[in-house]
Amino acid sequence: IKGSPWAAMVQRELAPEGISYGEVNDEFRQSWWINPLHDPPFYHPKITASSNDGAPTYSNSTLDMGALVSTNLGKIIHMETVSEPVYEKPDLYLFDAGFFSNAALELRCKFNSRQAILNAVGVDVPHKNECGTCSKMNERTIEWALEQVPESVRRRYLERGVQLIAGKDIEHSAGPSWIWSYLNFRRVDDRT
């Protein structure tokens, strides 16, 4: 099943500059599962690099990744992302009775890190905790949503609506533990 065009767009925006990108595809699927015969229980989006003969020389020294490398990468990167819709948990006795929404409350998206993308083209970079990435994605989501609605809706939201502000990233002790965290909203005042 084809996934979210929004997720593919955000993956491109979060990716390092100076690299040629081909297809970026998203797929709706579970990002984790419990299966004792399958290890690990987390789905990792794939990155592939294909040859790009005649590619120009790129410098990724401005990527703020701790790697000052200038190299002829000569590859086109193809990436996939994964989006998992999260739904309300209905009461088992009220299935399909109209009491719960059938629309997703949120999408959990697994993206490729900048480090993984650089590693795919052969640039070895040290691990760096990219704190702030989720907050940037959430800010971009709010901007994108406002770009999609009619001008009258956007104006009404900006003038009278409760403004959404992306909070700081929440650091987790283990990499994939964010999967079990739900979006939460906290009212600051009447307007935010």
Side-chain angles (χ1 to χ4, degrees):
I1 297 174
K2 190 155 174 75
S4 166
W6 169 87
M9 176 197 71
V10 171
Q11 174 66 81
R12 280 185 182 274
E13 290 181 10
L14 292 174
E17 296 176 9
I19 296 175
S20 297
Y21 293 99
E23 290 185 16
V24 178
N25 295 312
D26 185 68
E27 188 175 309
F28 288 125
R29 65 181 300 151
Q30 274 188 295
S31 56
W32 72 280
W33 54 88
I34 298 174
N35 182 346
L37 303 176
H38 188 276
D39 187 40
F42 302 100
Y43 185 80
H44 297 284
K46 294 177 182 59
I47 304 175
T48 58
S50 62
S51 175
N52 183 17
D53 295 334
T57 300
Y58 295 104
S59 170
N60 64 351
S61 59
T62 60
L63 296 177
D64 191 31
M65 293 292 288
L68 300 175
V69 180
S70 293
T71 181
N72 184 351
L73 301 175
K75 296 179 180 174
I76 297 176
I77 295 297
H78 305 277
M79 296 180 284
E80 72 175 18
T81 61
V82 174
S83 295
E84 178 181 356
V86 178
Y87 299 93
E88 265 182 296
K89 306 256 186 283
D91 185 335
L92 294 176
Y93 301 105
L94 296 175
F95 267 12
D96 207 16
F99 294 107
F100 298 96
S101 173
N102 62 358
L105 298 174
E106 64 180 272
L107 284 178
R108 291 182 180 142
C109 297
K110 290 187 76 174
F111 296 104
N112 293 291
S113 69
R114 294 166 52 147
Q115 177 187 7
I117 295 166
L118 290 170
N119 288 342
V121 295
V123 177
D124 190 26
V125 294
H127 175 71
K128 181 179 179 184
N129 185 359
E130 298 179 41
C131 199
T133 303
C134 294
S135 182
K136 288 177 191 170
M137 283 187 288
N138 290 333
E139 288 171 2
R140 182 61 184 113
T141 302
I142 296 166
E143 291 170 10
W144 179 83
L146 288 173
E147 293 166 1
Q148 305 308 306
V149 298
E151 179 60 28
S152 60
V153 173
R154 189 181 78 72
R155 192 173 34 251
R156 186 175 63 234
Y157 167 77
L158 293 173
E159 292 172 2
R160 295 181 282 172
V162 176
Q163 306 297 303
L164 291 173
I165 299 170
K168 293 181 180 179
D169 283 2
I170 298 171
E171 293 191 42
H172 293 276
S173 58
S177 61
W178 64 268
I179 290 173
W180 300 290
S181 299
Y182 292 89
L183 282 176
N184 61 61
F185 301 91
R186 182 174 45 91
R187 205 63 194 257
V188 176
D189 56 35
D190 289 344
R191 293 280 299 149
T192 57

